[in-house]
Amino acid sequence: MKARVHVMLKNGVLDPQGEAVRHALGALGFDKVQGVRQGKVIDLELADGATKADVVEMCEKLLANTVIERYEIELV
């Protein structure tokens, strides 16, 4: 089984990397971008018998800082 985990900052948490990307896009002439939120994608290849609950536990303990980040799990 494979899982893809999307980790993003929660709404209301400042995203300085996203702001840097927004400013850079504006400098390149892409002036229609009003906001950017940057995150990360983690692809996991899991052994037989692994479950979505295992991936949730991985996210809660290591892959996401649940104080400031949210995550979504996609089984692929």
Side-chain angles (χ1 to χ4, degrees):
M1 177 171 71
K2 293 183 180 183
R4 178 166 289 149
V5 179
H6 299 269
V7 181
M8 298 290 293
L9 289 171
K10 290 181 177 180
N11 291 335
V13 175
L14 295 177
D15 184 354
Q17 289 178 323
E19 270 303 293
V21 170
R22 186 183 68 76
H23 285 292
L25 288 170
L28 292 171
F30 298 103
D31 57 354
K32 293 183 174 79
V33 177
Q34 294 182 335
V36 176
R37 300 291 284 177
Q38 187 169 329
K40 57 188 171 188
V41 175
I42 303 166
D43 285 330
L44 302 168
E45 291 189 33
L46 304 166
D48 290 342
T51 65
K52 186 173 182 177
D54 294 324
V55 179
V56 168
E57 186 175 3
M58 292 176 206
C59 291
E60 293 289 325
K61 291 186 175 182
L62 175 69
L63 301 179
N65 177 351
T66 56
V67 173
I68 61 170
E69 294 174 323
R70 61 181 172 81
Y71 60 88
E72 295 176 11
I73 299 168
E74 174 187 356
L75 300 178
V76 292

